[in-house]
Amino acid sequence: MAKEVNFLLSPSGEIGTKKPGTKKAFLEAWRKTLEARLKKLGFSTAIEDFYGRLLVKGKPELEEALVSHVGTGKIFRFYQIQPDFDFKALLPSRPFTYEVYVKAKDHARREKALALKKELLQILAEEAQLRLSRWDNHPPEHIYWLIEARDHELFLLTNPQKGPGGLPMGTGEKILVLFSGGPDSLLSTFLLLRRGQKITLLFFDDEEARRHDLVTQAARALAYFSSDLSLSFYTLNYRPFLEELAKKAPKRKTCLFCKSLMLLLAEKIAQKEGFLALATGDLLGEQASQTLPALSLISSLPRIPVLRPVIGFTKEEVYEKLAQFGLEDIAQKALPPCPFAPTHPRTTGKFSPREEKFLHLLARKSVILKKEKILWESPYEDRSSPKTGEIHLGR
């Protein structure tokens, strides 16, 4: 049985800058969502307050969940220093470099911590020298130790890892995300989750082979970050709308018509279900419907705010961010291309009054929206199939 370890979590720096009342509410939400998420993941843990931070005790496997918890700034391994504390047991067997710092509020405690730092620097220098013979042509490991003095006691915080930061989940508003399952919409959704927003995913299903399965796989990966390991997921049968566009819309303007219609249909759902904004994974210049003139045209039709969290990212930055949050594997899965996309799409233009009227009439058609909960597939417990329901949106 794995030995329990201690982790010290700091809230995001952004939480720390809030005014006292807001900060207190965010800290409470941060702890509450952490407790709920760890319980859902099957971990039995003890969580204590430690000078504005959280001390979490549990199995080493906790680390992955803690590092990915929204609202968390940094995660340290945490040790209380006793007279017989074995510092050498924390050292790697390979060559290493090191740095040691001290944190203390008053002079007496600082002097005590500095004396320990001096001893540790000597130990680390000797141990690092011993490991030089084991050089294996790979970069050495790096050790970061922080000695913290609190109330006549000394603590050791080792090798910090960076958390996602942001605000605790659920502290924001309801947002409906147009979700394609691709890397851009994947990152856009995660960034909104990191802002504390209450996210629901809306998938426009064109009924192409494997698309629905791949999109739900992407949604399951995102569900890992939520406090209850689930996300609300709406599926709209979009194939009939695409076939109507193929018959009546100018072929080269298909993408402009399609994206405009998506936003109008999403706006109708948002009004019925109480969402305050829509969000997309639009990347400036990435597709025919994502040039600035195209976005200006498309955004002129819905009246609800449309958020675009990744609008200024490069494609490389999208993948770098996804890798940072552990979502790179799911983002690499190729989605089938849209069968209705023209070979030479228009990237700018205007809708005539007749075309705009056509879009609004099409958006008023009755749709049946499938609503379900997408669950992260936890290896720690069995899950029953989620219940699904339908929402009828008429004229």
Side-chain angles (χ1 to χ4, degrees):
M1 186 175 179
K3 185 179 179 181
E4 286 199 341
V5 295
N6 296 329
F7 298 95
L8 188 65
L9 278 64
S10 299
S12 71
E14 185 176 6
I15 293 176
T17 64
K18 302 298 181 185
K19 292 190 176 180
T22 304
K23 180 179 177 180
K24 181 181 179 182
F26 279 157
L27 288 174
E28 289 174 354
W30 176 52
R31 176 172 180 155
K32 185 178 179 180
T33 54
L34 178 63
E35 289 173 336
R37 185 163 171 257
L38 293 180
K39 184 177 181 180
K40 279 284 184 181
L41 285 168
F43 289 113
S44 177
T45 58
I47 300 179
E48 303 173 8
D49 291 317
F50 187 85
Y51 299 97
R53 295 162 290 177
L54 295 179
L55 182 58
V56 183
K57 302 178 182 180
K59 297 178 181 179
E61 292 82 4
L62 267 174
E63 194 163 22
E64 182 181 347
L66 299 178
V67 168
S68 61
H69 191 69
V70 172
T72 301
K74 286 185 179 180
I75 302 96
F76 292 87
R77 288 286 183 107
F78 179 89
Y79 306 89
Q80 184 170 359
I81 300 174
Q82 304 290 351
D84 58 348
F85 190 86
D86 186 4
F87 292 97
K88 293 181 182 181
L90 304 179
L91 300 178
S93 59
R94 295 183 61 250
F96 64 88
T97 58
Y98 56 90
E99 52 187 317
V100 181
Y101 296 93
V102 163
K103 181 179 179 181
K105 286 196 170 183
D106 61 54
H107 180 74
R109 281 182 285 190
R110 183 174 180 81
E111 287 301 309
K112 187 177 179 181
L114 285 171
L116 176 60
K117 176 182 176 179
K118 185 176 179 180
E119 292 177 24
L120 290 181
L121 288 174
Q122 184 174 349
I123 292 171
L124 291 168
E126 293 171 355
E127 294 297 318
Q129 185 68 31
L130 290 173
R131 285 161 177 76
L132 287 179
S133 61
R134 303 173 192 172
W135 195 270
D136 54 8
N137 205 33
H138 291 284
E141 294 187 34
H142 184 71
I143 292 173
Y144 177 105
W145 284 0
L146 173 64
I147 303 165
E148 186 169 317
R150 295 276 184 180
D151 297 333
H152 308 293
E153 292 183 301
L154 295 179
F155 304 95
L156 182 65
L157 284 60
T158 69
N159 287 21
Q161 295 190 66
K162 191 175 181 181
L167 303 176
M169 191 171 297
T171 54
E173 304 297 339
K174 289 179 65 178
I175 296 177
L176 184 63
V177 180
L178 281 66
F179 189 70
S180 70
D184 304 338
S185 68
L186 197 67
L187 180 58
S188 185
T189 305
F190 179 82
L191 293 178
L192 289 169
L193 288 171
R194 195 174 66 163
R195 299 307 303 161
Q197 304 307 302
K198 301 166 187 173
I199 298 301
T200 292
L201 307 179
L202 172 61
F203 167 50
F204 289 85
D205 190 2
D206 62 5
E207 299 182 342
E208 287 296 293
R210 295 194 67 238
R211 191 187 301 280
H212 186 273
D213 288 342
L214 290 170
V215 172
T216 51
Q217 285 177 32
R220 285 193 186 98
L222 284 168
Y224 175 70
F225 299 95
S226 68
S227 57
D228 65 353
L229 305 185
S230 75
L231 284 176
S232 295
F233 187 86
Y234 294 174
T235 300
L236 188 150
N237 182 8
Y238 196 51
R239 186 81 181 199
F241 293 94
L242 286 169
E243 291 171 348
E244 186 83 3
L245 289 177
K247 290 177 184 177
K248 298 181 180 179
K251 187 169 182 60
R252 290 191 63 197
K253 293 171 74 173
T254 300
C255 294
L256 300 178
F257 271 76
C258 177
K259 198 61 175 284
S260 299
L261 180 59
M262 283 182 172
L263 289 177
L264 288 172
L265 289 168
E267 180 181 39
K268 181 164 69 170
I269 297 166
Q271 289 170 345
K272 184 175 180 66
E273 297 291 291
F275 295 97
L276 296 186
L278 307 178
T280 73
D282 289 324
L283 210 65
L284 194 58
E286 171 72 9
Q287 302 289 345
S289 62
Q290 295 172 5
T291 66
L292 195 54
L295 290 173
S296 178
L297 173 66
I298 291 164
S299 300
S300 66
L301 298 183
R303 297 179 182 179
I304 190 171
V306 180
L307 309 180
R308 296 181 169 93
V310 298
I311 190 72
F313 280 58
T314 65
K315 202 68 177 181
E316 292 81 3
E317 288 170 335
V318 168
Y319 281 106
E320 285 171 6
K321 279 288 184 184
L322 289 170
Q324 179 184 335
F325 303 126
L327 293 167
E328 67 274 25
D329 289 344
I330 196 72
Q332 297 289 346
K333 296 189 177 183
L335 295 164
C338 175
F340 295 88
T343 305
H344 301 289
R346 292 284 299 273
T347 61
T348 186
K350 294 182 178 180
F351 292 134
S352 67
R354 183 178 177 182
E355 290 173 335
E356 191 169 319
K357 182 179 179 181
F358 166 65
L359 277 169
H360 282 288
L361 287 173
L362 200 53
R364 290 177 61 195
K365 284 193 172 183
S366 180
V367 297
I368 298 176
L369 196 68
K370 184 181 178 184
K371 182 179 181 181
E372 60 186 315
K373 282 278 190 182
I374 295 291
L375 306 177
W376 180 69
E377 294 180 340
S378 170
Y380 300 104
E381 58 182 307
D382 294 327
R383 295 298 188 93
S384 58
S385 299
K387 294 181 180 180
T388 61
E390 292 182 345
I391 303 172
H392 295 259
L393 297 175
R395 291 180 177 272

